[in-house]
């Protein structure tokens, strides 16, 4: 079953009925987790063991209408708020990362067409996706990895169209896809203007034009369709060209500034799942004296720190998703931070919890290997759309302008307020405002000093605690020192010093903590402070800053919130910010 976006005779998309919402998706996933259902743990574990594609689960999401959120509203879809997409993909990822990675790939495949700006082609693609078409994106090649400028697949004008030749490899959904966005060299000399993008429609190709390559066995998301494709002098029509000749690298880099938020959603869902599994285990398992593990101080502290880690990741991801609309010119920075930090943070909390679970975290027989599968699957998410190393390198490249913008207090105040107030309406996403480099810098950090001043003012009136004011002040001091060190870094493009990457990691931590602080300041009722203090304690600890033991008690408070939560739920920053829980 598919959800079709009907259209008028002139091709204009019309209303396809009520939009599915995150709560409805949660209910559907719960119903489908019943024995024998498409999202049953046993069914998904069996597919994983057989390395089989989760086709029924993907069809369930199609029937729900999730593909509509991969198409911008102006092109006939439902996508008008990236934070909604973040919630939807997070919900799917909370159950199974293989399904989320397989289904969400269509957005990466399609976004270049949205960014290129041709409304007629965008509307046509939107209709195809609404009718159930799967879209993949073929960027990488076997011998070049993430070095897109080294790509050898070529496209040359011929016969009124283009002929594409060469092999794309390690591509998600490439054999199952109906359409493929392909990056190809159109100038033999290569270079930034030597590549172009093409939307290849398999249904319009001559027989034998493509040869699918064997599925690649992977450590995680074993059932995903990850393989390659060989193009045999493949003739595609002239209208397959996306944007202008030579703009391929520019378009895809801008596209990645957006799609990395999708990867963040998958990591957050994995973090939710990991915390829930750990909570269930530690509240039911006992030590040799019959004491529940959750009652042991060191276990409670480990769980609390993992909870703080996920809240920091959530703050980063939520601000990144809203920044797509509100701070679009800064997405080269925001997306790099989100994609480098959130998957790495979730990998770390999964490893931390695995130590707590011990061998039980790796058992498969009784639990369908839920935690072991989660650990394997999430390792792959960190590679999608650029690894942490690739994204940190993108941050290092902007150190000078980031340090300069921070020193001058250069920021987009209106955009920052919109990005960090979850109740504020979001302006429409403007793809044309995307930039390869941020001219402003990073408003989230440039606005930190004023935010800390507000916390101190609140502490003076008793609205905020002195402990919170102290932690916020230390964050500002650490951020000041960081930007001084960033300004002093000197390097050539191919000789980036190791310590620059360490500074990039610290930048991510400061950004995450600042995002949490900004979000809290926009909450109407600021009485609840434990989650924010826990986030700041975690961030400052990871930054190597001194934190008193008394301040670490907030981590225990977060542990209590997790361990007493209803099974299947974890503490949510969104619940706190929207005022649905106290």
């Amino acid at each position: 079953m598919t959800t079709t976006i009907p259209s008028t005779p002139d091709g204009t998309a019309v209303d396809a009925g009520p939009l599915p919402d995150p709560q409805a998706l949660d209910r559907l996933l719960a119903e489908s987790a019943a024995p024998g259902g498409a999202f049953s743990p046993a069914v998904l574990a069996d597919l994983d063991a057989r390395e089989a594609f989760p086709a029924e689960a993907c069809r369930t999401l199609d029937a729900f209408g999730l593909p509509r959120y991969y198409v911008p509203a102006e092109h006939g879809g439902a996508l008008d708020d990236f934070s909604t997409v973040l919630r939807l993909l997070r919900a799917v990822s909370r159950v199974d990362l293989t399904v989320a990675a397989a289904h969400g790939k269509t957005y990466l495949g399609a976004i270049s067409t949205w960014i290129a700006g041709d409304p007629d082609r965008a509307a046509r693609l939107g209709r195809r996706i609404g009718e159930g078409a799967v879209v993949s994106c073929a960027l990488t090649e076997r011998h070049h990895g993430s070095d897109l400028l080294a790509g050898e697949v070529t496209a040359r004008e011929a016969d009124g169209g283009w002929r594409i030749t060469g092999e794309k490899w390690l591509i998600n959904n490439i054999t199952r896809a109906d359409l493929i966005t392909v990056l190809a060299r159109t100038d033999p000399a290569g270079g930034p203007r030597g590549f172009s993008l093409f939307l290849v429609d398999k249904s319009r190709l001559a027989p034998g034009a493509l040869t699918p390559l064997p599925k690649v066995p992977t450590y995680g998301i074993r059932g995903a369709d990850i393989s390659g494709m060989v193009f045999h002098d493949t003739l595609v029509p002239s209208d397959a060209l996306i944007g202008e000749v030579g703009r391929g690298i520019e378009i895809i880099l801008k596209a990645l500034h957006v799609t990395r938020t999708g990867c963040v959603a998958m990591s957050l869902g994995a973090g939710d799942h990991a915390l829930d599994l750990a909570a269930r285990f530690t509240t039911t398992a006992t030590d040799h004296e019959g004491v529940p593990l959750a009652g042991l101080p060191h276990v409670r502290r480990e769980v609390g720190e993992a909870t703080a880690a996920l809240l920091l990741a959530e703050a980063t991801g939520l601000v990144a998703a809203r920044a797509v609309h509100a701070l679009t010119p800064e997405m080269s920075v925001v997306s790099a931070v989100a994609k480098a930090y959130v998957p790495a943070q979730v990998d770390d909390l999964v490893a931390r919890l695995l130590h707590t679970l011990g061998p039980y975290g790796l058992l498969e027989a009784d639990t369908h290997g839920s935690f072991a599968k989660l650990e394997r699957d999430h390792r792959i998410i960190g590679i999608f759309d650029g690894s942490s190393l690739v994204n940190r390198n993108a941050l290092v490249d902007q150190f000078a302008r980031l340090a300069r913008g921070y020193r001058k207090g250069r920021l987009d105040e209106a955009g920052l307020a919109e990005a960090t107030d979850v109740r504020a309406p979001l302006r429409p996403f403007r793809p044309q405002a995307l930039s390869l480099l941020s001219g402003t810098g990073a408003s989230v950090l440039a606005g930190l000093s004023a935010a800390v001043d507000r916390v101190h003012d609140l502490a003076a009136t008793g609205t905020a605690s002195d402990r919170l004011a102290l932690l916020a002040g230390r964050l500002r001091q650490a951020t000041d020192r960081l930007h001084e060190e960033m300004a002093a870094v000197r390097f050539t493009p191919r000789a980036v010093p190791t310590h620059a990457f360490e500074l990039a990691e610290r930048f991510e931590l400061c950004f995450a903590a600042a995002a949490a602080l900004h979000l809290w300041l926009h909450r109407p009722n600021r009485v609840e402070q434990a989650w924010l203090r826990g986030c700041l304690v975690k961030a400052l600890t990871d930054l190597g800053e001194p934190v008193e033991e008394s301040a670490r008690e907030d981590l225990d408070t977060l542990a209590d919130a997790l361990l007493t939560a209803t099974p299947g739920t974890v503490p949510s920053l969104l619940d706190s910010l929207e005022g649905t829980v106290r």
Side-chain angles (χ1 to χ4, degrees):
M1 179 179 179
T2 59
T3 300
T4 301
I5 299 177
S7 59
T8 60
D10 66 358
T12 304
V14 297
D15 184 25
L19 295 178
D21 62 76
Q23 290 74 28
L25 179 57
D26 286 336
R27 293 192 294 271
L28 173 66
L29 292 172
E31 294 166 1
S32 301
F39 283 91
S40 160
V43 168
L44 294 171
D46 177 66
L47 291 170
D48 182 68
R50 294 188 288 110
E51 301 187 15
F53 188 83
E56 183 60 30
C58 287
R59 283 194 290 270
T60 299
L61 297 179
D62 287 343
F64 170 78
L66 188 55
R68 294 175 65 185
Y69 283 93
Y70 304 151
V71 181
E74 62 268 30
H75 302 314
L79 177 56
D80 60 1
D81 180 348
F82 278 89
S83 63
T84 299
V85 179
L86 180 115
R87 294 194 197 197
L88 292 166
L89 279 178
R90 180 179 185 176
V92 178
S93 303
R94 193 176 294 135
V95 181
D96 190 79
L97 281 171
T98 301
V99 178
H103 201 274
K105 179 69 174 184
T106 286
Y107 185 73
L108 173 60
I111 188 173
S112 294
T113 297
W114 315 143
I115 288 177
D118 185 315
D120 292 334
R121 295 183 185 184
R124 288 198 298 270
L125 179 57
R127 287 195 295 275
R128 290 289 302 275
I129 294 173
E131 292 163 0
V134 175
V135 190
S136 183
C137 186
L139 304 180
T140 58
E141 299 177 14
R142 190 182 299 267
H143 302 295
H144 306 300
S146 59
D147 187 358
L148 301 183
L149 290 175
E152 297 181 60
V153 170
T154 62
R156 55 185 177 83
E157 288 188 272
D159 307 317
W162 296 83
R163 289 194 176 274
I164 302 175
T165 303
E167 177 192 280
K168 288 292 183 180
W169 186 74
L170 216 59
I171 312 298
N172 190 10
N173 269 9
I174 193 167
T175 58
R176 301 180 69 87
D178 301 286
L179 303 105
I180 310 169
T181 293
V182 180
L183 180 69
R185 183 186 291 254
T186 45
D187 183 337
R193 291 290 180 182
F195 293 80
S196 304
L197 286 168
F198 300 86
L199 184 62
V200 177
D201 185 343
K202 290 181 180 178
S203 68
R204 301 174 70 183
L205 302 181
L210 299 176
T211 299
L213 298 175
K215 172 179 164 59
V216 178
T218 53
Y219 176 70
I221 58 171
R222 293 174 176 173
D225 168 28
I226 296 180
S227 56
M229 189 73 69
V230 180
F231 295 81
H232 302 288
D233 205 25
T234 303
L235 179 63
V236 298
S238 58
D239 64 0
L241 179 67
I242 298 173
E244 301 170 2
V245 175
R247 287 193 62 214
I249 295 292
E250 176 192 349
I251 292 172
I252 204 63
L253 288 178
K254 290 179 177 179
L256 289 171
H257 292 165
V258 180
T259 60
R260 287 166 181 155
T261 60
C263 295
V264 166
M266 289 188 278
S267 287
L268 292 177
D272 291 338
H273 193 187
L275 284 180
D276 180 49
L277 290 172
R280 281 190 269 166
F281 177 78
T282 56
T283 52
T284 57
T286 61
D287 66 5
H288 64 284
E289 296 181 351
V291 177
L293 295 184
L296 302 176
H298 69 280
V299 171
R300 190 158 160 257
R301 181 60 58 85
E302 287 287 325
V303 170
E305 187 162 345
T307 304
L310 186 60
L311 290 172
L312 273 174
E314 185 179 16
T316 306
L318 179 57
V319 170
R322 295 182 63 84
V324 171
H325 300 268
L327 295 169
T328 312
E330 297 182 18
M331 284 307 296
S332 64
V333 173
V334 176
S335 65
V337 167
K339 183 57 176 62
Y341 176 75
V342 176
Q345 187 83 327
V346 172
D347 273 341
D348 183 71
L349 77 86
V350 168
R352 179 181 296 276
L353 294 175
L354 188 56
H355 279 293
T356 303
L357 270 62
Y360 295 97
L362 299 175
L363 291 179
E364 298 195 15
D366 297 328
T367 63
H368 306 299
S370 294
F371 204 92
K373 180 180 184 301
L374 166 68
E375 189 272 341
R376 286 188 283 104
D377 288 349
H378 188 261
R379 293 289 186 92
I380 308 299
I381 304 304
I383 301 172
F384 287 166
D385 292 9
S387 66
S388 292
L389 184 65
V390 169
N391 283 287
R392 283 170 184 152
N393 195 89
L395 288 175
V396 172
D397 287 343
Q398 301 187 69
F399 269 6
R401 63 180 60 217
L402 288 170
R404 186 165 54 250
Y406 183 80
R407 184 178 66 252
K408 294 181 177 181
R410 186 183 299 151
L411 74 156
D412 177 348
E413 292 188 13
L416 176 61
E418 187 177 319
T420 55
D421 182 355
V422 298
R423 299 187 178 201
L426 287 167
R427 70 192 74 177
F429 170 50
R430 297 173 295 118
Q432 65 273 19
L434 289 167
S435 175
L436 297 182
L437 297 172
S438 173
T440 309
S443 292
V444 169
L445 285 176
L448 175 61
S449 185
V452 174
D453 286 342
R454 288 178 62 194
V455 173
H456 282 282
D457 290 342
L458 292 170
T461 62
T463 309
S465 67
D466 291 337
R467 179 187 294 178
L468 178 59
L470 177 63
L471 293 170
R474 287 182 177 171
L475 174 63
R476 175 164 58 186
Q477 292 168 1
T479 305
D480 287 347
R481 291 195 301 272
L482 167 65
H483 282 82
E484 290 173 3
E485 294 180 56
M486 289 166 52
V489 174
R490 298 290 183 271
F491 60 92
T492 58
R494 293 191 176 274
V496 180
T498 302
H499 78 277
F501 289 96
E502 296 169 354
L503 294 177
E505 289 188 60
R506 287 166 54 194
F507 184 90
E508 297 158 22
L509 280 163
C510 291
F511 185 102
L517 186 59
H518 287 300
L519 288 166
W520 179 78
L521 284 169
H522 281 292
R523 185 173 181 267
N525 180 357
R526 302 192 186 98
V527 173
E528 187 179 4
Q529 299 173 20
W531 71 264
L532 176 59
R533 292 197 304 264
C535 285
L536 295 183
V537 166
K538 169 65 175 169
L540 289 169
T541 300
D542 289 350
L543 284 164
E545 297 293 320
V547 177
E548 291 79 7
E549 180 58 31
S550 59
R552 298 183 188 278
E553 293 173 0
D554 286 310
L555 299 176
D556 299 329
T557 302
L558 292 180
D560 291 341
L562 172 66
L563 296 171
T564 58
T566 303
T569 64
V570 299
S572 166
L573 189 59
L574 274 171
D575 286 343
S576 173
L577 295 170
E578 293 176 343
T580 56
V581 297
R582 287 292 305 274

